Amino acid sequence: MSYVDGFVCPVPEDKLGEYRRMAKKAGKIWMELGALSYHECVADDVKPGKVTSFPQAVKLKPGEVVVFSWIVYKNRRERDRIMKKVMEHPGFAEWSDPKNLPFDGKRMFFGGFKPIVEY
């Protein structure tokens, strides 16, 4: 079975172009280092819930949109190897400073997942 990293973050609508440029560069790095696929999606039909939701989870503010991303790897061991290389990659260094991110990294959440159904 594969392994998946998932990410959700709030992005200011006026910085969505900047985010897209960052994501394209990041995606190339992940793919170059061995990820099987890399996906970045912007909310289109995502509403606040009564108890919880994507907007509530990231404490979405007016003028922001939710971005949902995932990266697929061959397995957990490959993910750990690739993630280590990503963090050491010179192209990734500019994002190590939160001031260089086009979103509030404090409101981003992420994690690794073992698939239970795959087609």
Side-chain angles (χ1 to χ4, degrees):
M1 284 261 187
S2 63
Y3 195 80
V4 177
D5 276 335
F7 307 85
V8 179
C9 66
V11 177
E13 291 172 351
D14 63 351
K15 291 189 176 185
L16 200 51
E18 185 180 340
Y19 183 90
R20 182 180 285 125
R21 285 187 293 280
M22 180 196 74
K24 282 183 175 184
K25 186 175 178 182
K28 286 180 184 178
I29 293 170
W30 255 276
M31 296 301 291
E32 166 191 317
L33 295 174
L36 300 179
S37 65
Y38 181 96
H39 308 267
E40 296 271 359
C41 306
V42 65
D44 179 58
D45 184 21
V46 178
K47 296 171 182 58
K50 293 185 181 192
V51 178
T52 190
S53 66
F54 283 104
Q56 288 161 275
V58 297
K59 298 180 180 170
L60 197 68
K61 297 177 182 176
E64 292 181 332
V65 64
V66 175
V67 171
F68 172 65
S69 312
W70 72 95
I71 306 166
V72 180
Y73 308 91
K74 183 177 177 182
N75 54 46
R76 169 76 189 267
R77 188 171 71 231
E78 274 295 287
R79 180 273 215 144
D80 292 346
R81 181 190 69 76
I82 291 166
M83 189 61 80
K84 183 178 186 306
K85 288 187 176 277
V86 166
M87 295 302 152
E88 296 168 350
H89 193 284
F92 197 79
E94 68 185 279
W95 303 313
S96 62
D97 183 347
K99 294 177 193 146
N100 294 333
L101 297 174
F103 63 93
D104 182 356
K106 291 177 185 168
R107 291 186 287 138
M108 175 175 130
F109 63 95
F110 55 91
F113 297 83
K114 296 187 291 187
I116 58 173
V117 175
E118 288 185 319
Y119 289 102

